[in-house]
Amino acid sequence: MQLKLEFVIYNHSLERFEIDENEYLFELDNEQMQTYKLFKDSDLHLYNWLKESDFFLNWIKEEVYPESIGKKIAIRSVNDVDYTRFYFFKVTSGDIHYEYFKKLFDIYHELEWQDREEIGANILEQLMVKRQELIIELKENVVEEANLQEK
């Protein structure tokens, strides 16, 4: 089974994400495919599984961004699971994004006394932390760890 992936690149000096316009294909083996099927309906579990998997990090370093030690990226999408809203949410974003983040961050919204801008500001505050958790920093030791486990 193949995964279709897209990435964003984190620009630390500007503190923002930039879209990598390329699509990448990643081939899963049978065991990885079973794990993917378990996590595909829970977007953050899927994200964390990929982010923490040596096989995935090694593939990024070798195939997607070779010679990019220290580069910071994040997953923009995996097949039909889209993470774009995490990187580009604005107070003016659509209702579907508001509802997603209100549920994710357990934000209670009382229409009579809170307006959209107040909720948006609250979401942006929560996203500052969450975005940092989603960043994948390409480190040199990922390949070394994988090689040690094989011995």
Side-chain angles (χ1 to χ4, degrees):
M1 172 181 192
Q2 281 191 332
L3 297 181
K4 181 177 71 172
L5 292 126
E6 295 177 359
F7 296 97
V8 290
I9 301 165
Y10 183 67
N11 185 324
H12 185 70
S13 61
L14 297 176
E15 294 183 357
R16 70 176 194 185
F17 293 91
E18 299 165 354
I19 296 174
D20 177 344
E21 298 290 339
N22 299 309
E23 273 186 7
Y24 301 93
L25 296 177
F26 179 71
E27 187 72 36
L28 295 176
D29 65 22
N30 287 337
E31 184 180 329
Q32 295 162 350
M33 184 175 61
Q34 296 303 319
T35 305
Y36 169 77
K37 286 180 180 179
L38 288 172
F39 290 141
K40 72 178 180 173
D41 294 327
S42 177
D43 55 357
L44 289 179
H45 288 322
L46 175 62
Y47 194 104
N48 289 329
W49 171 64
L50 289 170
K51 180 183 177 198
E52 295 168 7
S53 298
D54 286 345
F55 66 86
F56 183 71
L57 297 176
N58 286 332
W59 172 75
I60 291 172
K61 282 182 42 194
E62 294 168 5
E63 303 293 327
V64 180
Y65 299 113
E67 314 273 331
S68 294
I69 300 302
K71 186 177 200 142
K72 294 182 179 184
I73 63 165
I75 300 169
R76 180 176 167 211
S77 69
V78 179
N79 287 356
D80 296 329
V81 181
D82 186 21
Y83 301 97
T84 305
R85 69 180 108 205
F86 282 91
Y87 316 116
F88 303 109
F89 177 84
K90 295 183 168 88
V91 174
T92 57
S93 291
D95 289 342
I96 192 167
H97 303 300
Y98 271 82
E99 294 307 315
Y100 177 87
F101 286 124
K102 285 183 349 188
K103 184 177 178 184
L104 179 67
F105 297 131
D106 199 24
I107 297 172
Y108 181 71
H109 183 202
E110 184 69 47
L111 290 174
E112 281 79 10
W113 59 272
Q114 286 181 307
D115 65 11
R116 187 179 176 96
E117 286 187 23
E118 191 175 327
I119 295 298
N122 191 341
I123 290 170
L124 285 169
E125 186 177 308
Q126 301 266 352
L127 273 174
M128 286 176 60
V129 174
K130 182 55 81 179
R131 286 174 179 152
Q132 293 304 311
E133 293 172 7
L134 297 176
I135 291 174
I136 300 168
E137 183 173 358
L138 302 179
K139 296 181 180 178
E140 194 165 349
N141 62 354
V142 174
V143 172
E144 293 170 9
E145 287 175 13
N147 287 339
L148 289 175
Q149 289 176 358
E150 291 174 3
K151 290 181 181 180

